[in-house]
């Protein structure tokens, strides 16, 4: 696409004009090329950026402040594409409500070390420790071998995720793709798990007679 | 435990007295054995039932009406334990907002048939079809081989789930256990997937140099 007026930007991106104006005022979307005092022309980069903003707002449910942080890093051309995507991905973790317990943190660190998953200070590792604490608090602590089996299964899931990611395009498009794919596949996985639970449960009952 | 007054029921279950009174008024919790006009004695079945109610309200976030439906079926001693648990499990699916598309419904039916997962009218199958529609709507449709890989991985997860379920105790306790385990393990799985994505992503970048 060449450059277009705001009405066509709205059509192409599916974002209503008043919302685009709001994103411009808030500094989430960069200005177009001014054409006189009140009009501007927009291009493909605006469409891509709007796509990332919508993924972060509508699908990830991030606050505008966090969206702004992510979009700024992803738009920074001095940041390598891989790091941009990683930065967006880290922001998908909810901000921790309370610090996880030392026990849960140590379990997660041991798991990461054992699998040689060289992540330090990952927001998702903190979220995992919190989730383990929740199970403890509910009186249903997760056994080590169950945690290991879950980690194996989710590694297979991540391999599938990365295979469908394909070649990273520009940072903005790739970040939107990863955010959308990561989040919208979660309900697919959760439903599949529940369906598999019922199917296995049913089979078990039939076998028991 | 023998029979106890309400204050001890509150202590044992961790549910505050005013909340217990509310559940009694709403008919979610069955009455205790009356001791005069205003007092009653409660027993282990009240503790178990409160545990299920809390799992459904606090962890599953169900409406009181849906909680009442579930508790009534689980409490019905003419219903076999396996069916009671299945009924509670079905209610974990959110009520569908819109009917899923025919295409998505057909894909899910094909998946269930292929794996000989003999489920009809499962609420989770409807939720899966809806999740596939969401990915389509976001312009990132899920390929058939990716869906198959995810189904394989989640079957492994379900096997682990069922192994830790152990022997079904009474219906009330087992239903609370399944509801809590199903829901509180979800954030564990989601965090593990995100961690595995980052670890694999990082490894891929190192290999690419």
């Amino acid at each position: 696409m060449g450059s277009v007026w705001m009405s066509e930007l709205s059509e192409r991106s599916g974002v209503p004009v008043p919302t685009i104006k709001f994103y411009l005022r808030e500094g989430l979307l960069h200005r177009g090329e001014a054409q006189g005092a009140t009009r501007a022309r927009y291009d493909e980069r605006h469409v891509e950026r709007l796509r990332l903003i919508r993924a972060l707002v509508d699908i990830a449910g991030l606050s505008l402040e966090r969206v702004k942080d992510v979009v700024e890093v992803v738009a920074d051309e001095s940041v390598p594409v891989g790091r941009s995507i990683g930065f967006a991905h880290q922001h998908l973790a909810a901000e921790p409500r309370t610090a996880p317990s030392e026990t849960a943190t140590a379990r997660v660190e041991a798991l990461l070390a054992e699998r040689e998953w060289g992540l330090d200070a990952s927001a998702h590792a903190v979220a995992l420790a919190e989730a383990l604490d929740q199970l403890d608090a509910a009186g249903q602590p997760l056994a080590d071998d169950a945690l290991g089996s879950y980690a194996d299964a989710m590694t297979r899931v991540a391999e599938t995720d990365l295979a469908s990611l394909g070649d990273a395009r520009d940072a903005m498009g790739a970040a939107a793709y990863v955010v959308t794919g990561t989040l919208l596949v979660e309900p697919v996985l959760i439903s599949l798990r529940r369906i598999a639970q019922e199917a296995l449960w049913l089979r078990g009952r039939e076998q028991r007679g």
Side-chain angles (χ1 to χ4, degrees), chain A:
Chain A
M1 105 192 208
S3 74
V4 297
W5 299 115
M6 187 181 285
S7 58
E8 199 177 335
L9 176 63
S10 166
E11 245 167 65
R12 282 180 180 265
S13 62
V15 179
V17 169
T19 309
I20 295 178
K21 287 185 175 167
F22 172 74
Y23 292 154
L24 284 166
R25 275 200 309 276
E26 293 289 319
L28 268 75
L29 185 65
H30 54 297
R31 303 261 151 211
E33 199 183 330
Q35 308 278 320
T38 57
R39 284 157 62 96
R41 301 282 289 178
Y42 301 90
D43 60 27
E44 193 58 49
R45 291 174 305 141
H46 290 90
V47 177
E48 287 286 320
R49 185 135 158 185
L50 280 172
R51 189 161 171 247
L52 177 58
I53 293 171
R54 294 309 287 232
L56 293 167
V57 172
D58 294 345
I59 303 176
L62 297 194
S63 67
L64 285 186
E65 206 176 343
R66 295 184 85 200
V67 172
K68 203 168 168 177
D69 286 348
V70 172
V71 170
E72 270 169 18
V73 168
V74 176
D76 182 344
E77 286 174 9
S78 71
V79 177
V81 175
R83 286 194 86 81
S84 292
I85 299 178
F87 188 81
H89 192 260
Q90 280 287 315
H91 275 75
L92 301 183
E95 289 178 90
R97 279 160 301 184
T98 50
S101 70
E102 281 178 34
T103 318
T105 304
R107 277 186 84 185
V108 172
E109 279 170 7
L111 181 79
L112 297 183
E114 187 192 300
R115 284 164 195 260
E116 298 181 8
W117 284 348
L119 306 168
D120 31 68
S122 161
H124 304 306
V126 177
L128 175 57
E130 279 189 324
L132 293 176
D133 279 337
Q134 290 284 317
L135 277 156
D136 272 349
Q140 295 183 209
L142 192 64
D144 274 328
D145 55 348
L147 179 61
S149 303
Y150 290 146
D152 290 341
M154 300 324 279
T155 304
R156 289 212 178 75
V157 166
E159 284 164 357
T160 305
D161 294 333
L162 264 68
S164 35
L165 173 60
D167 304 318
R169 296 162 291 169
D170 65 306
M172 203 60 78
Y177 189 89
V178 167
V179 167
T180 305
T182 299
L183 294 175
L184 290 187
V185 166
E186 284 168 6
V188 171
L189 297 171
I190 284 170
S191 299
L192 282 170
R193 173 181 176 227
R194 294 176 179 183
I195 291 170
Q197 284 177 336
E198 294 196 350
L200 296 179
W201 180 262
L202 207 66
R203 201 166 290 173
R205 273 201 291 166
E206 278 161 10
Q207 281 167 4
R208 285 191 301 271

